Amino acid sequence: MTEFLEPGFWMGLLQIIMIDLVLSGDNAVVIALACRRLQPEQRRYGIMFGVAGAVGLRVVLTLFAATLLGLSYVKLVGGLLLLWIGVKLLLPEDEDGHEIDAATSVSGAIKTIIVADFVMSLDNVIGVAGAAGDSLVLLGLGLAISIPVIVWSSQLIMQAMERFPVIVKLGAALLGWVAGGMLISDPAVQTYLPSDGPVWFRPLAGFLGAALVLALAGLLGRDTTDAGGAVKD
């Protein structure tokens, strides 16, 4: 119970919810696309059971990832991957990014949602596991709160992101912050750091990670725009 009294616990919880909200927009689109050909009375069951299966699978994957993060070099690899996920979040998207076939049966829609969510949830799993750190309580509570919010307000979330792009930018910076903390807390990296080092090591790593994500996204986004202009000319 003392874990609930620590400020870091609630900061971690907010990070998990924010990461899930920012990274689950595509998953919400997949649910809509997979169920769009179902009859109205079937659509509710397709969404309900499809999301339940996808959520169960994601919880298992996240618990597995959180367990692995205690091994050397796993946080290092995960942190680097999370940095790239944050950068990619800010880059222009391919308009044909959702190749989802609409199912004509409830069972088909459920299968489509679960399979697509599994393929698309790597970023969520790594981000949430990294934000939770070593706390399985924080991990479970964060998922329990954020997943229903995503399911029932996904359209509102997507509209808010389109209207206020700064939300996506803040989310990408948060991924960079979490990635920086993951990199510096890897056991392999910790062996090269003083055990009684300054308390600002981790916040500094998080700040540098966030700054790196925004800087790389700006550079790569500019290059993409320039290349697109050159092709058009």
Side-chain angles (χ1 to χ4, degrees), residues 51-72:
V51 168
V55 166
L57 183 60
R58 188 184 299 189
V59 169
V60 171
L61 290 173
T62 308
L63 288 171
F64 181 67
T67 303
L68 288 180
L69 288 179
L71 303 176
S72 296

Side-chain angles (χ1 to χ4, degrees), residues 126-189:
I126 295 174
V128 170
D134 299 325
S135 174
L136 294 181
V137 175
L138 179 57
L139 180 63
L141 186 59
L143 289 172
I145 292 175
S146 59
I147 289 175
V149 171
I150 294 164
V151 172
W152 300 118
S153 61
S154 56
Q155 295 300 320
L156 293 176
I157 294 167
M158 293 174 64
Q159 291 174 10
M161 289 181 182
E162 291 177 359
R163 187 173 180 183
F164 305 104
V166 68
I167 296 176
V168 180
K169 187 169 290 188
L170 289 173
L174 176 58
L175 290 176
W177 177 279
V178 173
M182 287 177 67
L183 290 170
I184 200 171
S185 62
D186 188 280
V189 176

Side-chain angles (χ1 to χ4, degrees), residues 189-199 201:
V189 176
Q190 286 288 310
T191 58
Y192 296 98
L193 297 176
S195 57
D196 57 345
V199 294
F201 266 3

Side-chain angles (χ1 to χ4, degrees), residues 32-120:
L33 291 176
C35 297
R36 70 181 184 275
R37 289 183 183 172
L38 296 180
Q39 297 297 322
E41 61 272 13
Q42 294 179 315
R43 198 170 297 160
R44 181 176 59 185
Y45 294 106
I47 292 175
M48 183 171 62
F49 290 111
V51 168
V55 166
L57 183 60
R58 188 184 299 189
V59 169
V60 171
L61 290 173
T62 308
L63 288 171
F64 181 67
T67 303
L68 288 180
L69 288 179
L71 303 176
S72 296
Y73 301 107
V74 175
K75 284 186 178 180
L76 202 59
V77 174
L80 293 174
L81 184 57
L82 201 56
L83 284 174
W84 171 242
I85 291 171
V87 172
K88 191 177 178 182
L89 189 66
L90 296 177
L91 295 180
E93 293 185 3
D94 185 355
E95 293 182 357
D96 298 325
H98 297 290
E99 297 295 334
I100 302 296
D101 294 328
T104 56
S105 66
V106 174
S107 60
I110 293 172
K111 183 178 70 173
T112 299
I113 292 171
I114 293 175
V115 172
D117 191 84
F118 172 76
V119 173
M120 297 170 61

